Amino acid sequence: MAVPTREQIAGWDPAKLGTAAAQYATMASTIRTVLDNVSRIIHKPGDSGEWVGAACDAAESRAASEVAEGRKLAAAIDDLNTALAGGSAAIGDLVRSMLNTAQWAENDKFAVSNDWKVTDTVTNTTDSDTRANDMANWQASLDSLGASLERAIDESATKIRNALNAIDEAAPLSSARMPAGFQLELAGLSPSRQRAVDYAEDFWKNYNPNFPSYSDKGSDCANFVSQVLAAGGFQQKLTRDHLNDPNDDDPNAWFSQPDENLVTDDWEASRTWTYAPELYRFLTEGGAGDGTPTGTAADTSLWQSPTATMDPNGLSNSGLRPGDAVFYEKETGDGRVISHAAVYVGKDWITTPDGTRVWGDVVNMHTSNRYHEPWYLPRYGEDAGNFPIKYRPVKIDYPDDQN
């Protein structure tokens, strides 16, 4: 991987890795406490005294097997805890060192670009050789720190991945999951993307009271995606018709706000904000350059039938990043239309239709409220009339993304 940019690491919070490590340490400790009590509980079921005989022997044998498997799981979680804590310390130290070194170089009247290139801002000097030597030293320091940061990220990611695989082997049906968006911070989410993902995590169920909900009408999905985009830094655009009323039908508008021209406390929202097909068109065909969101349609995929398999990592394998959007086109009473939208928020343990437990791409959404749902929405498979289902991912152009 390339060295993350200065702007990217300025938005990182490696301490979140340490917070996650503490959570998993508590989980491992809890598992061990439960396991330590298993044999004792089997020997004394209730208040009937000691339990002996064939039934006791069978129960003990079963318990011993379960305890052994449980200890494997606890050990794997310990490894994850160690990987997270180590990553927090190593990456955190290097991030601070790189940012501090850049600042010290700038204090010395050198400029440090977003990609860590050092240039001299002093043009008139009688000691150009000393300045050139100092510039080379600052550049060498940043290059060395950058290489170390690359290695630390790669090593931490490998250890975390190995620990997750061990957890999956020890307990395929474990409900242990990564904190939301965490695993993607190593890849350097821009601050605006991180804000969007955080919003999607915070309001997938507890609706933001600053916006109306259309769930009672069965169609709050696009409203939720639009709110996520607004949280990521995109600007609303309200236009008005010939009566000076908000023009909800303007295909170039994108807004959800109270109408200040009305005496009543009315709220107006454009169809591009609240209606999934119009939001998809607005994102992929807009490009107005006026602060409203824009995006690029990624490769579509098709789920042909309930028995067909889908790639659990289809979004990330297509180049999507957390904060991007997914639109769903399926058969309805009005023919084939885009009828749903969701936000890609990262990865988590998911269960495929055949019951396999894998680490895959997940989305959050409204109507119905879903948290860390497999991106292709397996529930659609319960109705054969939905098929074939076309997935239309959109790569969002967030304001501070580094291409």
Side-chain angles (χ1 to χ4, degrees):
M1 63 169 290
V3 177
T5 66
R6 188 177 180 184
E7 184 174 313
Q8 284 175 326
I9 72 168
W12 288 5
D13 183 7
K16 287 184 178 180
L17 299 178
T19 300
Q23 293 173 350
Y24 285 111
T26 300
M27 183 185 298
S29 177
T30 300
I31 290 173
R32 287 193 173 90
T33 298
V34 171
L35 295 174
D36 288 342
N37 289 330
V38 168
S39 296
R40 178 181 58 80
I41 293 172
I42 286 176
H43 275 294
K44 292 187 177 182
D47 298 321
S48 60
E50 293 293 332
W51 185 23
V52 296
C56 177
D57 293 341
E60 281 188 334
S61 178
R62 174 66 182 273
S65 175
E66 296 290 343
V67 167
E69 291 301 312
R71 294 199 186 283
K72 288 181 183 178
L73 175 60
I77 294 174
D78 281 338
D79 289 342
L80 179 57
N81 166 38
T82 300
L84 291 168
S88 176
I91 295 171
D93 287 346
L94 288 165
V95 164
R96 285 187 293 272
S97 293
M98 287 195 77
L99 293 174
N100 288 339
T101 299
Q103 184 60 60
W104 295 332
E106 289 174 340
N107 292 344
D108 204 15
K109 298 184 179 179
F110 291 96
V112 180
S113 67
N114 195 42
D115 60 354
W116 307 104
K117 300 303 181 187
V118 181
T119 55
D120 197 349
T121 63
V122 177
T123 55
N124 297 318
T125 177
T126 58
D127 197 359
S128 58
D129 289 344
T130 299
R131 293 289 299 177
N133 185 63
D134 289 346
M135 184 176 71
N137 288 337
W138 284 121
Q139 186 67 69
S141 295
L142 288 170
D143 289 345
S144 177
L145 288 168
S148 296
L149 180 59
E150 274 189 275
R151 288 193 299 273
I153 291 174
D154 288 341
E155 290 172 0
S156 294
T158 298
K159 291 177 181 178
I160 291 169
R161 193 159 44 243
N162 290 342
L164 287 170
N165 289 338
I167 290 173
D168 193 25
E169 291 177 4
L173 298 181
S174 170
S175 61
R177 66 173 69 215
M178 282 293 210
F182 145 74
Q183 73 284 356
L184 296 148
E185 290 198 17
L186 292 179
L189 287 187
S190 67
S192 59
R193 276 186 180 274
Q194 191 63 56
R195 287 194 298 272
V197 171
D198 289 344
Y199 187 98
E201 294 290 306
D202 290 340
F203 293 107
W204 70 274
K205 182 178 181 181
N206 300 314
Y207 285 29
N208 186 343
N210 294 322
F211 289 95
S213 166
Y214 305 101
S215 289
D216 58 340
K217 300 177 181 178
S219 58
D220 200 58
C221 60
N223 179 38
F224 176 63
V225 174
S226 290
Q227 290 177 38
V228 168
L229 296 175
F234 292 108
Q235 302 301 309
Q236 296 189 34
K237 179 182 178 181
L238 185 148
T239 61
R240 296 186 178 276
D241 59 20
H242 66 286
L243 298 176
N244 203 34
D245 291 327
N247 192 351
D248 302 352
D249 293 325
D250 183 351
N252 297 312
W254 184 70
F255 62 86
S256 178
Q257 54 187 264
D259 181 11
E260 59 188 20
N261 286 349
L262 296 177
V263 175
T264 59
D265 193 21
D266 245 0
W267 193 283
E268 297 285 345
S270 63
R271 284 172 61 82
T272 56
W273 183 287
T274 60
Y275 186 45
E278 291 298 317
L279 177 57
Y280 177 82
R281 184 208 58 78
F282 182 80
L283 292 173
T284 58
E285 300 177 14
D290 53 8
T292 56
T294 59
T296 303
D299 291 340
T300 61
S301 55
L302 200 65
W303 192 6
Q304 292 283 8
S305 71
T307 58
T309 59
M310 292 294 291
D311 180 0
N313 292 288
L315 298 184
S316 54
N317 288 340
S318 296
L320 265 71
R321 291 178 287 173
D324 288 336
V326 191
F327 293 81
Y328 302 82
E329 176 186 303
K330 62 186 181 70
E331 291 292 341
T332 69
D334 299 320
R336 291 196 60 81
V337 297
I338 292 176
S339 59
H340 189 51
V343 180
Y344 174 40
V345 294
K347 293 180 182 291
D348 203 341
W349 293 113
I350 64 175
T351 302
T352 61
D354 65 1
T356 304
R357 193 75 165 165
V358 298
W359 188 244
D361 296 328
V362 293
V363 296
N364 286 3
M365 60 187 185
H366 280 185
T367 320
S368 299
N369 303 335
R370 301 293 183 192
Y371 175 77
H372 288 199
E373 185 81 357
W375 72 273
Y376 53 92
L377 306 188
R379 286 177 176 81
Y380 278 168
E382 298 171 1
D383 183 356
N386 289 327
F387 290 88
I389 301 169
K390 180 174 282 188
Y391 301 89
R392 296 183 176 273
V394 178
K395 299 177 181 179
I396 305 298
D397 305 318
Y398 279 91
D400 53 1
D401 272 352
Q402 298 293 320
N403 296 324

